[in-house]
Structure formats: C-alpha cells, structure tokens
C-alpha cells in the first residue's frame, strides 16, 4: 500500500500547481505539545477516510470538526490532505487554519521540496515526514528546508530499524512512533513501548495511531510519550468535544500559566 501511495504522490508532484501563499498567524507545534494543559499533549486529526478503514466520517465538515477540537482542548490539529487514499484536500487545511488558533499540521506523504513549499503556502504550521518514504539523507534535506521556510516537522517511524537509521543521520525535535505498520496496516501500542527507550532526551516523543481509550493514553504516557496523535476514535465520537473528554477520562485541564 505504501509503495502504491508513493507512486501516486510522484504523479501528483509532476502535475502540482503551486498555490499562492496564504498569510495567516502561525503557532509552534513543539511549544503547544510541550506546554499542554493536560498530562499528555493532543494532536487531534481531521480525517474522513483511510485505506484500512474506508470512510470513517460520513457527515464530514472539516472546519466544524477542527473548531470542536479547539473547544475540546486539543493542543494542535492534524489535517489529512491526501485526496486519493484518505479523501482529504489541501483546501481543508487552509479553511481550518483561518478558523482556529492552534498549530495545524499537514499530514500527507511528503517526498519532494515542491510539497514542502506547497505546505507553507497553504498556511500549515507543521508537516509530517515519514522515514522510509525517501532515502534518509533526502529526508534530512526536506526537514532542513521545512525549518528554513518556517515550518516544523513531526518525523515518523514505525520500526526500531527506522528509528536507528533516522538517529544515525539526525535527531528531529519531534519524533512520532506510528503504532500502525504502514506496510501491513496492523496496529499495536507495543510499538510505542518497545521504542520509547530509544527516543533521544532532546526529542519530543509522540505516539500515533491505535489510541482509542483513556487507558491507551495512560499506557503510552507511562511508556514516555509526551503527546499523542489521535484520529479515528475522535472522528467516530458523537462530537469532537465529547470524543476528547472520553479519551482523557475526565482528566481536568490545568489552568494556563
């Protein structure tokens, strides 16, 4: 599946029409997660569908969902912009960015500098980079280019070998462990637990995928995750606010300092 997605991305890049730069206020994903009012920072995901689950949300209004996440106390918002496999769109991110006052991360399969520039132009504060989609030195170039134009990056791994390869080249400010194997689409929180001790102290550690309950939050926090990225369970909730409340088991939000 990953190879199929990347082949589609390469075709999209050849036909990419660069959007004009969107002037919007920007917020730091790193600071938002590091200074969360909860015990664990939350990146709440706006996601209509996925290759493994199909349509997740039939009544899909990305802007209203994002506003609900903000009201519910999310620290940041992730927006799927892949059209073919996740039924997302870059316009969803631009529309959300104009309505919320949180960091907004573009979640896509970014493998070329043109996409990095596109990400900046549509108003994103941060973007996802996935180890294994391009050679590690090229990933470092994309990472450095993103930061040079004002974007932050969450760099994602899903296996120890990928993390070791990443750290042999550089240590990102934010590292995400995807509990879903992108080759098999199987999900297990043991990925977070097994890899936690390998995350450098200077990197902010985010656990992604397979997080559905307050017990899951406690489990990954105990392993050492400073933040979580949650999509499906929030998208299936009665409302974004109720989804977040349930996920954190009624945990009180600390007063802002």
């Amino acid at each position: 599946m990953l190879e199929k997605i990347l082949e589609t991305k390469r075709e999209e890049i050849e036909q990419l029409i660069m959007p004009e730069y969107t002037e919007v206020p920007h917020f730091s994903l790193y600071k938002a997660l590091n200074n969360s009012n909860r015990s664990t920072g939350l990146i709440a995901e706006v996601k209509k569908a996925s290759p493994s689950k199909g349509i997740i949300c039939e009544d899909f209004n990305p802007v209203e969902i994002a506003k609900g996440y903000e009201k519910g106390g999310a620290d940041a918002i992730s927006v799927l912009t892949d059209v073919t496999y996740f039924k997302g769109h870059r316009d969803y991110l631009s529309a959300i960015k104009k309505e919320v006052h949180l960091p907004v991360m573009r979640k896509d399969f970014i493998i070329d500098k043109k996409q990095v520039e596109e990400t900046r132009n549509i108003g994103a504060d941060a973007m996802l980079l996935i180890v294994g989609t391009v050679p590690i030195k090229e990933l470092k170039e994309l990472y450095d280019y993103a930061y040079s134009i004002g974007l932050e990056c969450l760099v994602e791994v899903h296996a120890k070998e990928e993390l070791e390869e990443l750290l042999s080249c550089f240590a990102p400010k934010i590292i995400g462990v995807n509990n879903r194997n992108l080759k098999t689409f199987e999900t297990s929180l043991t990925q977070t637990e097994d890899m936690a001790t390998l995350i450098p102290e200077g990197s902010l550690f985010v656990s992604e995928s397979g997080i559905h309950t307050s017990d899951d939050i406690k489990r990954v926090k105990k392993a050492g995750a400073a933040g979580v990225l949650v999509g499906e369970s929030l998208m299936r909730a009665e409302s974004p606010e109720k989804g977040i409340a349930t996920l954190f088991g009624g945990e009180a939000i600390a007063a802002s300092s």
Side-chain angles (χ1 to χ4, degrees):
M1 177 55 73
L2 181 58
E3 282 306 316
K4 188 177 177 184
I5 290 171
L6 293 178
E7 182 57 40
T8 301
K9 288 295 142 188
R10 288 187 277 269
E11 292 170 4
E12 289 176 3
I13 291 162
E14 289 181 6
Q15 301 168 21
L16 176 62
I17 298 172
M18 191 64 64
E20 291 186 14
Y21 176 69
T22 304
E23 188 67 57
V24 288
H26 285 288
F27 306 96
S28 168
L29 175 64
Y30 181 89
K31 287 180 181 176
L33 293 174
N34 211 30
N35 299 304
S36 175
N37 291 322
R38 285 196 174 87
S39 61
T40 310
L42 172 64
I43 306 172
E45 191 154 89
V46 177
K47 177 180 183 178
K48 182 175 183 178
S50 76
S52 59
K53 302 287 185 179
I55 299 294
I56 294 167
C57 180
E58 291 284 356
D59 184 20
F60 185 72
N61 185 322
V63 171
E64 290 306 311
I65 292 164
K67 287 164 74 173
Y69 285 155
E70 184 172 32
K71 288 177 189 173
D75 297 291
I77 293 170
S78 168
V79 183
L80 262 298
T81 58
D82 173 78
V83 177
T84 305
Y85 301 96
F86 290 85
K87 310 299 180 191
H89 201 282
R90 69 187 189 185
D91 290 351
Y92 296 162
L93 190 148
S94 297
I96 287 168
K97 184 63 190 168
K98 292 173 184 175
E99 297 291 333
V100 301
H101 298 85
L102 296 174
V104 178
M105 180 179 83
R106 181 187 189 186
K107 193 172 184 188
D108 209 315
F109 296 82
I110 295 174
I111 56 174
D112 190 280
K113 283 187 176 181
K114 288 180 184 176
Q115 293 170 291
V116 180
E117 187 178 343
E118 176 194 27
T119 302
R120 188 268 313 270
N121 286 7
I122 62 176
D125 299 291
M127 67 181 205
L128 180 73
L129 285 174
I130 304 171
V131 174
T133 53
V134 294
I136 199 67
K137 287 184 179 178
E138 289 182 26
L139 193 88
K140 176 68 161 58
E141 290 173 4
L142 294 174
Y143 180 91
D144 289 341
Y145 182 56
Y147 275 87
S148 76
I149 62 173
L151 290 165
E152 293 180 319
C153 297
L154 189 163
V155 181
E156 176 182 293
V157 295
H158 74 264
K160 283 185 180 181
E161 297 77 19
E162 289 181 352
L163 181 57
E164 288 166 356
E165 182 186 20
L166 171 64
L167 297 179
S168 71
C169 184
F170 71 107
K173 288 185 71 175
I174 311 172
I175 296 177
V177 170
N178 193 341
N179 299 306
R180 177 174 291 114
N181 186 313
L182 291 180
K183 292 174 181 173
T184 65
F185 278 84
E186 293 175 358
T187 304
S188 173
L189 296 184
T190 57
Q191 288 291 97
T192 286
E193 293 167 332
D194 290 347
M195 294 169 67
T197 57
L198 303 175
I199 305 291
E201 282 189 17
S203 299
L204 194 146
F205 174 25
V206 177
S207 180
E208 310 171 49
S209 301
I211 297 165
H212 300 281
T213 67
S214 58
D215 284 343
D216 292 339
I217 294 282
K218 291 171 186 172
R219 184 174 166 185
V220 298
K221 179 178 181 285
K222 184 179 179 182
V228 292
L229 189 152
V230 184
E232 185 184 340
S233 65
L234 296 179
M235 291 300 304
R236 293 189 188 278
E238 185 179 336
S239 72
E241 298 95 321
K242 287 182 180 177
I244 292 173
T246 300
L247 189 63
F248 282 88
E251 178 187 322
I253 302 176
S256 299
S257 56

